[in-house]
C-alpha cells in the first residue's frame, strides 16, 4: 500500500515538476514559437500514443480493445469539442479567456493520465515485488514532466497567471494518484479495462494531434520550423522510451 501511494504520487507530481519551469519564464512567446510549441507537443503525443499506449494496449488486450478504445476516445473528444465553450477566467477589464483548443489539450492530458495511473496501481498489485510498479511509475513520471510544462505554457499563452497555469497543469497529473490507488485495490476488476483505457487515451491524443495541433501550427507561415519541431518532439519521446 505504501509503495503504490508513493509511486503514484511521485509519478503524478512529475507533472507539477515540469510545470514549475513556467514560473521562471519572462514575457510571452512569439507566434512562431507558439506554433513550434504546438508542433513539438504534437510530436510528443504522437510518439506516446503510437510507441507506448497502443503497443501496451495491444500486448495486454489484443486488437478489439485497441479498436474499441481508440474509437471511444475519438468520439469522447469530438463530443467535448462541441460542448466546451470559451470560459471566462477573470471578470476583470482584461476579460481573459481560455481557448477551447487549450482546454481540449488539458482534457486530453488529464484523460490519458487516468489509464496511466491504473497501470501503476495494477503493476504494484500484480508484481511479487515492488520492482515492476517502481519501473512503470518511473517511466510514466518521465513522460509527465514535459507534459506538465507544455500544458502550463498553453495556459500562459491564454494570458493566464503563471501560478494558476502551474496549479492547473499540476492537477492534470494529480488524478493519477486516485486512479493508481483504484487500480491497486480493484485489480481483479480493473485489470481487463487497462488495455481499453490505454487505447482510449491514445484515441483522444490522436484526435487532438490531427484535428487541432497540426493545423494550428501550420496556419501562419511557420510550416517548416513547426515540422522540424514535430520531428524533434517525436525523437524526444522516443529517447525517453528508450532510456527506460
Amino acid at each position: 500500500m505504501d509503495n503504490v501511494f508513493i509511486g503514484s504520487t511521485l509519478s503524478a507530481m512529475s507533472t507539477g515538476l515540469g510545470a514549475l519551469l513556467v514560473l521562471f519564464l519572462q514575457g510571452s512567446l512569439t507566434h512562431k514559437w507558439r506554433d513550434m510549441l504546438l508542433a513539438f507537443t504534437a510530436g510528443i503525443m504522437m510518439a506516446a500514443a503510437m510507441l507506448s499506449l497502443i503497443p501496451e494496449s495491444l500486448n495486454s488486450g489484443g486488437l478489439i480493445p485497441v479498436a474499441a478504445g481508440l474509437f471511444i476516445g475519438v468520439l469522447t473528444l469530438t463530443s467535448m469539442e462541441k460542448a466546451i465553450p470559451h470560459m471566462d477566467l477573470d471578470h476583470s477589464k482584461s476579460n481573459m479567456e481560455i481557448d477551447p483548443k487549450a482546454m481540449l489539450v488539458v482534457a486530453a492530458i488529464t484523460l490519458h493520465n487516468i489509464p496511466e495511473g491504473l497501470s501503476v496501481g495494477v503493476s504494484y498489485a500484480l508484481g511479487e515485488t515492488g520492482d515492476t510498479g517502481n519501473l512503470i511509475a518511473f517511466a510514466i513520471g518521465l513522460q509527465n514532466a514535459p507534459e506538465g510544462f507544455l500544458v502550463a505554457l498553453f495556459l500562459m499563452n491564454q494570458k493566464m497567471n503563471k501560478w494558476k497555469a502551474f496549479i492547473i497543469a499540476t492537477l492534470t497529473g494529480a488524478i493519477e494518484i486516485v486512479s493508481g490507488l483504484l487500480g491497486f485495490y480493484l485489480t481483479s476488476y480493473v485489470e481487463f479495462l487497462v488495455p481499453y483505457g490505454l487505447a482510449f487515451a491514445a484515441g483522444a491524443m490522436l484526435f487532438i494531434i490531427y484535428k487541432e495541433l497540426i493545423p494550428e501550427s501550420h496556419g501562419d507561415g511557420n510550416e517548416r520550423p513547426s515540422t522540424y519541431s514535430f520531428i524533434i518532439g517525436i525523437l524526444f519521446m522516443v529517447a525517453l522510451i528508450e532510456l527506460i
Side-chain angles (χ1 to χ4, degrees):
M1 172 59 189
D2 290 341
N3 285 340
V4 67
F5 180 75
I6 294 172
S8 297
T9 300
L10 292 178
S11 174
M13 291 301 100
S14 295
T15 307
L17 184 63
L20 187 65
L21 296 175
V22 301
L23 300 179
F24 302 98
L25 293 179
Q26 300 296 326
S28 59
L29 296 174
T30 65
H31 198 88
K32 179 178 179 180
W33 277 103
R34 180 179 178 274
D35 286 349
M36 291 175 64
L37 171 63
L38 289 169
F40 182 74
T41 305
I44 285 180
M45 294 173 74
M46 177 69 78
M50 299 305 298
L51 300 178
S52 179
L53 296 175
I54 290 179
E56 288 180 26
S57 176
L58 194 60
N59 290 335
S60 60
L63 181 59
I64 292 177
V66 170
L70 281 172
F71 277 112
I72 294 172
V74 169
L75 292 175
T76 299
L77 265 292
T78 300
S79 300
M80 290 181 64
E81 182 189 36
K82 294 178 180 179
I84 294 175
H86 276 72
M87 291 184 63
D88 188 6
L89 296 176
D90 193 339
H91 296 290
S92 64
K93 295 180 180 179
S94 61
N95 192 30
M96 293 189 294
E97 293 181 334
I98 179 169
D99 194 294
K101 292 182 176 64
M103 284 200 66
L104 283 173
V105 171
V106 172
I109 294 296
T110 302
L111 288 172
H112 118 274
N113 283 335
I114 295 175
E116 286 188 350
L118 288 174
S119 298
V120 172
V122 170
S123 297
Y124 275 109
L126 294 180
E128 295 181 0
T129 66
D131 292 343
T132 301
N134 290 336
L135 178 62
I136 297 299
F138 177 72
I140 291 175
L142 284 178
Q143 287 185 185
N144 286 346
E147 287 173 359
F149 176 64
L150 293 169
V151 169
L153 275 178
F154 273 120
L155 295 176
M156 282 183 59
N157 273 332
Q158 303 303 317
K159 298 181 180 180
M160 182 183 287
N161 176 275
K162 288 182 179 181
W163 282 100
K164 289 183 180 179
F166 164 70
I167 292 171
I168 291 176
T170 300
L171 290 177
T172 64
I175 195 169
E176 285 188 14
I177 302 173
V178 177
S179 60
L181 293 174
L182 182 66
F184 181 79
Y185 280 116
L186 303 178
T187 297
S188 59
Y189 303 100
V190 174
E191 184 184 1
F192 83 98
L193 290 177
V194 170
Y196 289 92
L198 292 169
F200 174 90
M205 294 173 77
L206 291 173
F207 177 90
I208 291 295
I209 293 166
Y210 193 80
K211 175 65 170 60
E212 301 292 349
L213 298 185
I214 291 178
E216 184 74 13
S217 67
H218 282 63
D220 299 283
N222 298 315
E223 294 87 351
R224 186 171 287 109
S226 294
T227 299
Y228 294 154
S229 186
F230 176 76
I231 300 299
I232 291 171
I234 291 177
L235 291 175
F236 178 79
M237 185 55 71
V238 169
L240 287 182
I241 293 173
E242 283 297 308
L243 285 175
I244 60 175

